[in-house]
Amino acid sequence: MRRVALADDDVLLREGLASLLERGGFDVVGQAGDAEQLLAIVRDERPELAIVDIRMPPTHTTEGLDAADTIRSEFPEIGIVVLSAHVEVEHAMELLARGERTGYLLKSRVTDVDEFVDTLERVARGGSVVDPGLVQELVGARRRDDPLAELTAREREVLALMAEGRSNAGIAHRLWVTEGTVEKHVRSILSKLPLPATQEDHRRVLAVVAYLDSR
């Protein structure tokens, strides 16, 4: 049973999320109404996941992201899922650029219990997940110095699905192609984008960042 800390200043939403998580097989080790309370819970309980609202007291601006930064710095092994009421492109890009075990979801997405639980599991296992609503908003975006200009239409499609946090097997199922074909597309994407020669998992994350930044 994965241990989760939860932070949102909306008590009803927070209680609802806690109930949903417990039904999904998670152990909610603590709930917080602000970033300071969340950090205290994380330091005491060392959960596997922290679910954080972007906007919390006192200023309701970026307290959640700031808390996520602190957690990532002190406990890099803890997965972080940030929730937002609206698509916030800049915040999502900042979050994803922080590396593995990160997720960005719209609160409206939480109504799909199975999808939400699956997202948390992917983040806990080391993946990075971006809300499909954000991906859809950015699909087809162009600018003169577009780093994705060399990608084919199919490669862009594969990259969009990567941004949703899907594995190669998941992409293959979605596109009705073999996993080997997806692997070839991923290798081609990573070779065409100006990415550093780091581990492939992190290169996938950087590729998604480049995708989001191509607007």
Side-chain angles (χ1 to χ4, degrees):
M1 181 179 293
R2 295 196 184 279
R3 304 171 72 250
V4 181
L6 175 61
D8 196 301
D9 65 309
D10 185 326
V11 177
L12 292 179
L13 176 60
R14 190 172 72 235
E15 291 288 348
L17 281 174
S19 176
L20 183 155
L21 290 168
E22 288 168 353
R23 292 200 306 272
F26 293 86
D27 178 17
V28 179
V29 299
Q31 299 183 39
D34 59 42
E36 185 175 343
Q37 292 175 359
L38 172 64
L39 292 175
I41 292 170
V42 168
R43 287 164 180 154
D44 288 341
E45 299 290 342
R46 304 290 180 89
E48 295 173 75
L49 286 166
I51 302 174
V52 190
D53 185 14
I54 281 184
R55 301 181 185 276
M56 290 192 294
T59 67
H60 294 277
T61 54
T62 61
E63 283 83 359
L65 285 179
D66 295 340
D69 271 340
T70 300
I71 294 170
R72 179 48 41 84
S73 175
E74 295 183 13
F75 310 103
E77 73 280 4
I78 294 179
I80 299 170
V81 175
V82 171
L83 301 179
S84 176
H86 309 286
V87 173
E88 300 182 71
V89 176
E90 182 178 351
H91 290 163
M93 289 168 55
E94 288 178 6
L95 178 72
L96 192 60
R98 289 173 171 84
E100 62 181 13
R101 293 186 177 86
T102 55
Y104 175 95
L105 286 181
L106 294 178
K107 291 184 177 180
S108 59
R109 194 73 54 187
V110 178
T111 57
D112 188 327
V113 177
D114 291 338
E115 182 177 336
F116 183 52
V117 169
D118 179 62
T119 294
L120 296 182
E121 285 291 345
R122 277 187 274 168
V123 171
R125 292 194 299 266
S128 296
V129 179
V130 180
D131 193 280
L134 176 68
V135 176
Q136 291 170 8
E137 179 175 301
L138 300 179
V139 166
R142 295 290 191 276
R143 66 184 182 191
R144 185 168 298 176
D145 58 344
D146 184 0
L148 311 186
E150 293 187 20
L151 301 187
T152 66
R154 176 60 97 181
E155 288 168 351
R156 284 176 174 269
E157 195 171 7
V158 169
L159 183 54
L161 292 171
M162 287 168 59
E164 293 182 13
R166 298 181 186 274
S167 64
N168 287 356
I171 296 172
H173 178 75
R174 180 70 174 269
L175 298 181
W176 295 90
V177 298
T178 67
E179 190 170 346
T181 297
V182 173
E183 290 174 356
K184 290 179 182 178
H185 285 312
V186 171
R187 284 197 298 270
S188 179
I189 291 168
L190 297 182
S191 68
K192 289 180 179 179
L193 295 179
L195 304 175
T198 57
Q199 293 182 351
E200 181 170 332
D201 285 348
H202 191 57
R203 282 165 61 82
R204 287 175 70 104
V205 173
L206 294 176
V208 171
V209 172
Y211 171 77
L212 296 176
D213 198 30
S214 66
R215 183 169 185 170

